[in-house]
Amino acid sequence: MLKEYRTVTEVAGPLVIVEKITNVKYEELVEIEIGPGVYRRGKVLEITEDKALVQMFENTQGIDPAGSTAKFLGKVMQFPVSKDILGRVFSGSGRVIDKGPDIIPDKLLNINGSPLNPFARDYPNDFIQTGISTIDAMNTLVRGQKLPIFSGSGLPHAKIAAQIARHAKVISEGAGDFAVVFAAMGITFEEAQFFIDDFKRTGAIERSVLFLNLADDPAIERVATPRLALTAAEYLAFDLDMHVLVILTDLTNYCEALREVSAARKEIPGRRGYPGYLYTDLATLYERAGRIKGKPGSITQIPILTMPEDDITHPIPDLTGYITEGQIILSRDLHRKGIYPPINVLPSLSRLKDKGIGPGKTREDHAGVMNQLFAAYARGKQAKELAVILGEAALSEDDQKFAKFSDAFEDTYVRQGENEDRTITESLTLGWKLLSMLPVAELKRVKEEHIKKYMPAGGGE
Amino acid sequence: MKQNEAGVIVKVAGPLVVARNVPNAKMYDVVRVSGEKLIGEIIEIHKDKASIQVYEDTAGLGPGDPVYTTGAPLSIELGPGLLESIYDGIQRPLDQIKILSGDYITRGVEAPGLNREKSWNFAPAVRAGDKLSAGDIIGTVQETPIVVHKVMVPPGKSGQVTKIEGGAKKVTDIVCVLKDGDTIHELTMMQKWPVRIARPYLEKLVPEMPLITGQRVVDAFFPVAKGGTACVPGPFGSGKTVIQHQLAKWADAEIVIFVGCGERGNEMTDVLIEFPELKDPKSGEPLMKRTVLIANTSNMPVAARECSIYTGITIAEYFRDMGYSVAIMADSTSRWAEALREMSGRLEEMPGEEGYPAYLGSRVAGYYERAGRVKCLGSDHREGALTAIGAVSPPGGDLSEPVTQNTLRVVKVFWGLDANLAYARHFPAINWLTSYSLYTDMVDNYINENVAPDWSLLRKEAMRLLQLEAELQEMVRLVGLDALSAQDRLILEGAKSIREDFLHQGAFDPDDAYTTIKKQYLMLQTVLSFYYEGLKALTAGIEIRELLTLPVRTNIARAKFIKEAALDTFTSINQDLKQQIALLVKKQETLKEALNA
């Protein structure tokens, strides 16, 4: 029989203090009954002598210290998993909200997971074709990678994420069992519905698990949402051997919820009021992507975050970039020019690309073409900046060619349709076609034999 | 254990646990927390309360749980078996943990740092009757095909050998007995050392040899000395980790310690997969045979992250004491500083800058001061060197933040990474204008003597061109390229060639990833001779346009892919260059004569 305490003494924001407790453990799950049959859950954040500081996972509205009872459940927060979670919708705190039956659990899993032993990890090196040239050819995604999309308010990150979820495939082998875990944190109903509709339209919904914490749901629930999603993903990937794509959106809202808890605890803040442990906390989410030696499944993460004021030095994108294996950055300029997907390739990066490309995986010339496109586009952009000040006539002959190249690059390489699914060969061929606009002496990043083999006739004088 | 021998937990807040009445609590002593015996370290004592940082997840701990003292500071095991290992922050072998607890790291797992079961062939180097002092080598073990592990008398012990025994031995077997007056020291191949205390040496010396890394921008422009210190700050995506990996792979240190401190798990996996396959350019053996890895990834307990760099440098010092040249790479020291900050915050200390504790600077300095070239303990006066290279991850790439600033105050080499270079895929993205090395003069002398006498001249000339380029670029931005004189255009072209054909280096290209000093010299010479010959041609009245389209320029650009075995190719490139320019000059003269006639 669990003890029930009627000693809730303080409620402040997401925090509740329970006093005169005995035998309570750190991180223990707490259930507070705020009225007959109405329960709210939280976890122990700190215990000092007989006083427990509890962080609620659910709204604290309606908690009356005098009329509430707290029960310490003797376990950490768990999520019930079984094969039946596929196709289901859960709230941000893990309750079933699709009017379906409760999950009969195969297992109860600790939502915090455990750190994966680096020795047990298998290196991600299977190329995933997303059908988007700027990702496949230039910022290659591989299975088991965590590759965030750095976006801004009003940019079409949701469309891109849905497009990736729709087209992503591994070309080297049979597709395997594929699943999508989608966690919404504080996004609007419309945005969430966009994903759901897209999943429904393509039939992906049957292979999806959705966790929805919408903008009007309590902010503090968001702290648990990505952990629930990743727990489900780990079960699907490593118990059921599926290839899981996890989309987390929007991490900015998650971090804000974390800041709220930290501020309520009166902790010494780090940059911009975010807690000093934001890096560690984010790492416990992102590092749950990967592959395990000897297991066929994998978890690939695409977290989405909106950079406040498009500022990439803001702590959220900054710390994310230090943990994730690269980033896809969207550009407001390209978006204004009407280019979709507005992926700004220069600052975008996939750290694992080198292991996922090349002969046997994509094509022998991939690395060269990628580096050459980057270098040429960077030079073209520079030339164009110069032309703005001095006029195009002031550019050298070569620079004019590069400037022209960068326009063509944006217009035909970056730009593609929402349903256009380019294969990697198409993307590389298109790359060569663009490179043929440039003098061959300037193509220093591609190997000579590849120029001979792949450069379209008539290109590069 | 009896109840009165243990303290009692009164508070749990994340990795910080406060316990009351811990018997014999001493600062930095290791304690075992709760029935699960989690490892912790005392970091503050306040009357009868001790604050403990726990190196494992503290979920499930609560007031009333016991805390036991061990009476000893946090120590690691040093002896044969270190090499090729991968440890967590407190020297638990991750491969053993995987056997014990599966794919995920669960807590309370105990595994000794050195394999107790493995036998090593111990070859004694002393005889009964020899008088030994601390640091003397009592025998050797061929630990890996390229590293001879020297078993030494531990610091603080000495005496006359009464017994020495060779043959197949385990690390815990007694191999040597010393008699020092009335005390008897029984020595095994293993010694223990507290990680927070620097291992002693006889004397510190000034570094005088370069650490050749095969990275052109490093060796030519910003070299680091054996026994020196360097830091690599840069925003994310600028290639810190790739540079650290390149240095760990190719630096000509005999032992490499790589500390993954609060970084990505996949990066450690990458090292684990790649190092056993990569061959050391000198010995042809896999690089792993000289490497020790410490992995405390970002999702592993934060307190153990704080400890990981000390574990790493203690192992490094141990190999230095054998007389080896050791290099330690820590990626990233910012994560270590953040771990300090997190513990400091939980201790409710008064914060310094940006929430970091006020003692951040002294901790950083304390770490880098453990590097250096030293005369080791032992009567043979052997020399060892420990080079420390730390990555720094400044938030937002802002170098004014406390960790970078405190690091710059103590290190001698600064490789400043530049996001703009990285965007243009110029790797390594080390900015040649902001970076510096205080070892250049020393290294210049060394290379002038050993490779080519005009090395330092070439290096200075190349640097001068790069500086001039930056100034001229400013001008071009205002008035356009056409307004520049032909000579200035040539400077721009020469500098561009230095950047693209010399400094740019592909980490993943088998021919380009490592460049010997000899080849670096030839490359630099070739790139510069285009500038010099071009300058002569300009005086002879040749148009700059014609110089820029010389076919030999393509060969110069591709010189980086020339194999080390085919360095003669450079001679022919230089000949081609001279010939082609001479041809231009000749054409020009014929034209002139024709006009005159």
Side-chain angles (χ1 to χ4, degrees):
Chain A
M1 184 60 202
L2 292 169
K3 257 191 197 170
E4 290 189 4
Y5 296 95
R6 302 192 59 89
T7 45
V8 177
T9 53
E10 253 181 68
V11 187
L15 302 181
V16 168
I17 291 176
V18 190
E19 290 188 13
K20 296 192 184 130
I21 46 145
T22 53
N23 208 18
V24 164
K25 307 295 183 194
Y26 178 63
E27 290 260 324
E28 196 173 342
L29 192 62
V30 188
E31 202 167 62
I32 295 185
E33 189 175 0
I34 61 167
V38 185
Y39 295 98
R40 297 278 159 79
R41 286 176 301 168
K43 69 165 185 184
V44 176
L45 206 55
E46 194 177 309
I47 332 165
T48 314
E49 313 260 349
D50 63 347
K51 207 162 95 180
L53 178 70
V54 178
Q55 174 199 344
M56 301 307 294
F57 291 129
E58 293 170 284
N59 205 351
T60 48
Q61 193 186 355
I63 297 185
D64 158 24
S68 304
T69 34
K71 227 181 347 188
F72 292 83
L73 302 180
K75 57 178 186 191
V76 294
M77 185 156 172
Q78 290 169 322
F79 182 63
V81 288
S82 81
K83 201 167 171 45
D84 300 330
I85 58 173
L86 284 169
R88 301 298 301 271
V89 185
F90 299 88
S91 76
S93 52
R95 296 178 195 269
V96 171
I97 52 167
D98 57 0
K99 304 198 182 79
D102 275 345
I103 300 294
I104 298 162
D106 171 32
K107 264 186 182 178
L108 284 166
L109 294 177
N110 177 354
I111 65 159
N112 291 320
S114 296
L116 189 54
N117 189 333
F119 193 77
R121 275 183 192 270
D122 205 355
Y123 200 72
N125 51 12
D126 291 329
F127 169 69
I128 298 181
Q129 181 177 295
T130 64
I132 298 174
S133 294
T134 38
I135 295 179
D136 291 349
M138 304 184 71
N139 296 291
T140 316
L141 178 68
V142 296
R143 223 182 228 169
Q145 187 175 13
K146 37 195 182 290
L147 189 65
I149 298 178
F150 286 10
S151 182
S153 342
L155 294 178
H157 44 263
K159 259 170 138 181
I160 297 172
Q163 185 174 354
I164 294 173
R166 206 161 53 226
H167 291 155
K169 52 181 154 292
V170 172
I171 47 172
S172 55
E173 47 176 283
D177 252 351
F178 185 71
V180 176
V181 172
F182 176 77
M185 291 161 278
I187 62 170
T188 59
F189 165 77
E190 275 172 55
E191 205 172 338
Q193 200 59 38
F194 166 80
F195 278 100
I196 297 172
D197 287 345
D198 199 81
F199 292 161
K200 275 189 183 151
R201 190 165 59 80
T202 55
I205 192 92
E206 299 298 321
R207 294 176 285 116
S208 306
V209 190
L210 280 68
F211 294 85
L212 300 181
N213 168 283
L214 300 184
D216 57 345
D217 289 330
I220 45 174
E221 283 188 29
R222 281 165 211 163
V223 178
T225 311
R227 297 194 159 79
L228 289 161
L230 288 163
T231 306
E234 278 171 354
Y235 173 75
L236 295 174
F238 303 127
D239 282 28
L240 302 185
D241 300 339
M242 300 176 94
H243 294 292
V244 186
L245 179 70
V246 182
I247 299 175
L248 305 169
T249 177
D250 175 325
L251 255 305
T252 308
N253 296 330
Y254 167 82
C255 294
E256 237 127 68
L258 213 59
R259 176 163 70 175
E260 197 177 319
V261 176
S262 169
R265 285 183 73 182
K266 302 186 174 66
E267 290 174 329
I268 296 164
R271 286 172 68 220
R272 300 238 192 156
Y274 291 96
Y277 48 81
L278 185 61
Y279 176 85
T280 307
D281 190 276
L282 286 173
T284 58
L285 300 182
Y286 297 140
E287 280 289 325
R288 288 171 82 175
R291 304 197 318 168
I292 297 181
K293 273 184 208 157
K295 296 202 176 172
S298 67
I299 298 179
T300 310
Q301 271 190 31
I302 302 190
I304 297 172
L305 55 91
T306 47
M307 298 183 279
E309 283 189 80
D310 297 350
D311 174 12
I312 197 168
T313 65
H314 186 278
I316 299 170
D318 190 53
L319 295 177
T320 298
Y322 277 121
I323 308 165
T324 53
E325 284 134 356
Q327 65 278 337
I328 301 291
I329 299 182
L330 303 190
S331 145
R332 204 167 288 279
D333 283 346
L334 288 176
H335 184 59
R336 267 197 222 110
K337 282 189 201 165
I339 291 172
Y340 173 89
I343 293 173
N344 189 357
V345 295
L346 292 184
S348 296
L349 170 73
S350 162
R351 293 167 189 269
L352 304 182
K353 60 180 187 300
D354 301 292
K355 302 284 155 69
I357 64 174
K361 287 177 174 150
T362 55
R363 217 167 71 177
E364 50 179 353
D365 58 328
H366 191 153
V369 172
M370 169 180 77
N371 288 326
Q372 191 62 65
L373 286 173
F374 268 119
Y377 181 53
R379 180 149 169 213
K381 292 281 272 186
Q382 242 173 23
K384 285 192 59 154
E385 264 172 44
L386 217 63
V388 169
I389 310 172
L390 301 164
E392 233 164 86
L395 295 182
S396 70
E397 208 177 307
D398 281 356
D399 277 348
Q400 284 181 17
K401 282 186 185 153
F402 276 99
K404 235 193 244 152
F405 167 87
S406 85
D407 284 338
F409 178 81
E410 286 175 5
D411 203 45
T412 61
Y413 205 74
V414 179
R415 186 202 297 275
Q416 68 185 89
E418 207 184 322
N419 291 308
E420 187 183 351
D421 187 5
R422 289 186 194 157
T423 67
I424 181 64
T425 319
E426 284 168 354
S427 292
L428 291 175
T429 310
L430 189 58
W432 278 109
K433 201 176 138 200
L434 285 166
L435 290 178
S436 70
M437 298 170 65
L438 300 170
V440 80
E442 291 289 342
L443 302 182
K444 292 181 183 174
R445 310 278 167 95
V446 278
K447 294 200 169 164
E448 243 163 311
E449 66 248 42
H450 294 159
I451 296 183
K452 286 200 191 100
K453 195 163 163 193
Y454 296 107
M455 179 72 85
E461 60 293 9
Chain B
M1 217 173 262
K2 276 177 283 173
Q3 193 57 41
N4 58 4
E5 283 176 35
V8 176
I9 294 182
V10 293
K11 175 178 173 174
V12 184
L16 179 77
V17 165
V18 180
R20 181 174 285 152
N21 296 327
V22 181
N24 301 319
K26 288 196 297 290
M27 195 67 170
Y28 291 125
D29 267 7
V30 170
V31 293
R32 294 306 184 97
V33 180
S34 89
E36 287 185 79
K37 301 277 175 70
L38 307 184
I39 299 168
E41 192 180 8
I42 297 177
I43 51 169
E44 196 176 274
I45 303 173
H46 209 78
K47 289 190 186 159
D48 60 344
K49 283 189 197 163
S51 299
I52 298 156
Q53 64 174 349
V54 181
Y55 290 127
E56 296 178 77
D57 184 22
T58 51
L61 299 187
D65 285 344
V67 173
Y68 309 101
T69 36
T70 62
L74 187 69
S75 305
I76 57 169
E77 299 179 350
L78 301 166
L82 286 170
L83 293 172
E84 296 183 81
S85 293
I86 172 163
Y87 293 117
D88 77 351
I90 47 174
Q91 211 208 8
R92 289 181 304 183
L94 287 171
D95 49 348
Q96 291 300 314
I97 292 183
K98 180 168 184 269
I99 294 169
L100 293 171
S101 79
D103 295 333
Y104 292 95
I105 297 174
T106 47
R107 57 191 191 163
V109 187
E110 268 192 83
L114 294 180
N115 188 336
R116 295 285 190 276
E117 300 309 314
K118 186 162 180 180
S119 307
W120 301 92
N121 192 7
F122 176 72
V126 293
R127 270 177 297 195
D130 287 355
K131 280 207 172 108
L132 300 182
S133 59
D136 282 346
I137 294 163
I138 57 172
T140 56
V141 166
Q142 191 74 41
E143 190 176 349
T144 69
I146 39 176
V147 178
V148 176
H149 193 109
K150 297 170 187 166
V151 181
M152 298 167 287
V153 179
K157 292 187 180 164
S158 59
Q160 192 168 22
V161 180
T162 58
K163 196 181 147 200
I164 177 108
E165 215 178 277
K169 296 283 175 194
K170 293 175 182 163
V171 286
T172 45
D173 291 342
I174 292 162
V175 291
C176 180
V177 179
L178 294 184
K179 190 167 180 297
D180 180 17
D182 292 335
T183 37
I184 300 287
H185 298 298
E186 292 182 325
L187 305 183
T188 62
M189 289 192 284
M190 176 177 88
Q191 36 176 296
K192 287 196 173 188
W193 192 262
V195 295
R196 293 188 195 278
I197 298 173
R199 284 177 62 87
Y201 46 82
L202 279 183
E203 194 184 336
K204 214 162 204 174
L205 308 167
V206 177
E208 58 181 20
M209 281 261 289
L211 183 79
I212 305 293
T213 65
Q215 309 306 303
R216 295 189 288 266
V217 59
V218 171
D219 289 348
F221 285 166
F222 311 108
V224 60
K226 280 183 178 152
T229 50
C231 77
V232 204
F236 64 84
S238 56
K240 276 187 305 295
T241 302
V242 177
I243 288 177
Q244 291 267 19
H245 283 193
Q246 287 304 93
L247 295 178
K249 282 176 197 167
W250 307 119
D252 69 338
E254 288 155 308
I255 307 286
V256 169
I257 318 285
F258 191 88
V259 186
C261 175
E263 288 286 307
R264 305 174 185 90
N266 278 335
E267 278 169 8
M268 293 317 295
T269 313
D270 183 21
V271 173
L272 275 174
I273 292 173
E274 210 174 1
F275 276 35
E277 286 171 12
L278 285 169
K279 300 278 189 284
D280 177 25
K282 269 187 301 187
S283 63
E285 287 288 331
L287 289 173
M288 200 61 198
K289 302 276 179 210
R290 60 160 198 188
T291 309
V292 184
L293 299 174
I294 316 268
N296 205 88
T297 54
S298 54
N299 55 344
M300 282 157 77
V302 69
R305 190 196 301 169
E306 193 269 326
C307 190
S308 62
I309 70 163
Y310 294 108
T311 300
I313 202 147
T314 307
I315 295 175
E317 284 175 335
Y318 175 66
F319 281 104
R320 174 206 67 191
D321 289 347
M322 293 178 203
Y324 285 120
S325 159
V326 187
I328 180 169
M329 282 89 191
D331 185 14
S332 146
T333 56
S334 291
R335 305 300 160 224
W336 163 75
E338 275 164 19
L340 270 187
R341 173 168 74 181
E342 188 168 339
M343 292 316 298
S344 163
R346 300 214 191 252
L347 286 170
E348 289 164 15
E349 291 173 336
M350 186 67 85
E353 241 179 309
E354 289 195 24
Y356 286 104
Y359 46 78
L360 175 69
S362 56
R363 292 281 169 90
V364 170
Y367 171 75
Y368 283 103
E369 265 309 287
R370 288 174 74 168
R373 186 168 81 98
V374 301
K375 199 176 273 177
C376 309
L377 283 188
S379 29
D380 60 351
H381 296 285
R382 59 187 180 273
E383 276 180 18
L386 170 50
T387 315
I389 298 166
V392 184
S393 318
D398 169 18
L399 297 186
S400 67
E401 61 93 38
V403 183
T404 316
Q405 284 306 314
N406 280 306
T407 307
L408 286 181
R409 229 167 278 157
V410 285
V411 298
K412 297 274 192 312
V413 180
F414 165 66
W415 295 316
L417 296 178
D418 189 327
N420 288 323
L421 289 176
Y423 293 167
R425 296 312 187 256
H426 177 101
F427 287 114
I430 295 177
N431 185 313
W432 47 90
L433 296 175
T434 55
S435 304
Y436 61 78
S437 163
L438 302 182
Y439 298 115
T440 36
D441 292 341
M442 181 271 291
V443 174
D444 272 356
N445 293 340
Y446 178 85
I447 301 182
N448 282 348
E449 275 169 37
N450 292 287
V451 182
D454 57 342
W455 165 264
S456 59
L457 283 178
L458 289 182
R459 189 184 64 72
K460 282 179 188 148
E461 185 60 17
M463 203 37 147
R464 189 183 69 92
L465 286 184
L466 289 172
Q467 296 278 4
L468 281 175
E469 183 198 28
E471 287 165 27
L472 287 172
Q473 289 287 13
E474 296 263 300
M475 224 148 84
V476 170
R477 230 161 273 145
L478 292 175
V479 295
L481 199 58
D482 288 343
L484 292 187
S485 69
Q487 273 77 4
D488 283 348
R489 291 268 318 260
L490 189 66
I491 289 176
L492 285 183
E493 287 297 327
K496 188 175 142 210
S497 176
I498 295 171
R499 283 191 284 116
E500 293 183 357
D501 307 334
F502 182 73
L503 294 179
H504 180 274
Q505 188 168 9
F508 302 100
D509 188 288
D511 296 324
D512 198 23
Y514 176 85
T515 313
T516 56
I517 288 285
K518 179 86 189 148
K519 184 176 160 190
Q520 293 190 27
Y521 167 75
L522 290 171
M523 285 175 76
L524 199 55
Q525 195 194 34
T526 312
V527 165
L528 283 174
S529 66
F530 170 75
Y531 171 69
Y532 289 132
E533 296 299 323
L535 213 54
K536 279 189 223 158
L538 286 183
T539 5
I542 306 290
E543 291 264 346
I544 176 101
R545 205 165 27 84
E546 285 182 276
L547 279 177
L548 300 186
T549 49
L550 283 181
V552 71
R553 296 199 74 205
T554 321
N555 296 337
I556 296 178
R558 295 186 191 281
K560 57 176 78 154
F561 301 113
I562 292 173
K563 299 210 184 308
E564 295 287 349
L567 292 184
D568 317 341
T569 323
F570 281 99
T571 329
S572 69
I573 293 181
N574 275 314
Q575 275 167 0
D576 287 352
L577 173 68
K578 284 193 179 132
Q579 254 166 27
Q580 286 174 17
I581 287 187
L583 209 68
L584 278 184
V585 176
K586 201 159 173 215
K587 248 203 304 193
Q588 174 86 4
E589 276 166 5
T590 353
L591 199 70
K592 250 191 218 158
E593 278 165 26
L595 280 177
N596 288 344

